[in-house]
Amino acid sequence: MVPLQQFRDGMSLLTGAVTIITTDGPAGLAGFTASAVCSVTDQPPTLLVCMNRNSYAHPFFAGNGVLCVNVLSAAQQPLSAAFADRALSMPQRFERAYWQRLQTGSPAFEDALVNFDGQIVATHEVGTHSIFYVELRDIRQRNDNAPARGLAYFNRHYHPLGVAA
């Protein structure tokens, strides 16, 4: 068995896009910062999102059965930090940005590079985490003609990506 710290140190070197995952519905409004998101298949368009079951927000996602993956740009690092800050309430997190609603009703960050809005169609539990399989219902991509500059998390730090990085 690989030692826990060795695993965590190794995973810190696996670069991930920074996202804010949001939900709203009968269970309530919630959101968190994540980099554990990836494509599963394009037929039907499906993503997976990993979430710690001990998270305060987990029951909201499980109860609502919908979510939106909001992919952040390099300039949105403060919003990522806010959604990772356990000292901030959910209303305090959401008041820091402008939101729209796409097909599922989950909050979609207006200035995200892209929003992936979908329904959780399956959940698999492994260790401490739930893996949500999310079949997409809507995708909205920012079209402001500005050069796309992504935000990545690598070696426990944020890093800008793109032409101007």
Side-chain angles (χ1 to χ4, degrees), residues 49-128:
V49 175
C50 299
M51 182 179 196
N52 191 316
R53 286 194 312 277
N54 293 322
S55 166
Y56 164 81
H58 189 275
F60 296 92
F61 286 85
N64 290 335
V66 295
L67 59 79
C68 186
V69 176
N70 302 278
V71 180
L72 301 186
S73 73
Q76 295 157 347
Q77 180 179 332
L79 190 60
S80 170
F83 271 80
D85 187 347
R86 293 181 182 146
L88 293 177
S89 69
M90 286 299 165
Q92 289 172 321
R93 294 175 190 194
F94 279 94
E95 69 189 16
R96 294 170 182 255
Y98 294 104
W99 304 89
Q100 297 177 346
R101 303 292 173 145
L102 299 178
Q103 193 171 21
T104 71
S106 295
F109 175 42
E110 284 187 10
D111 292 330
L113 292 175
V114 62
N115 311 100
F116 296 100
D117 186 49
Q119 179 178 358
I120 299 169
V121 294
T123 302
H124 190 103
E125 296 185 356
V126 178
T128 58

Side-chain angles (χ1 to χ4, degrees), residues 20-54:
I20 294 174
I21 314 297
T22 58
T23 190
D24 200 6
L29 176 68
F32 69 102
T33 299
S35 60
V37 175
C38 75
S39 169
V40 175
T41 182
D42 64 354
Q43 292 184 16
T46 305
L47 302 176
L48 68 77
V49 175
C50 299
M51 182 179 196
N52 191 316
R53 286 194 312 277
N54 293 322

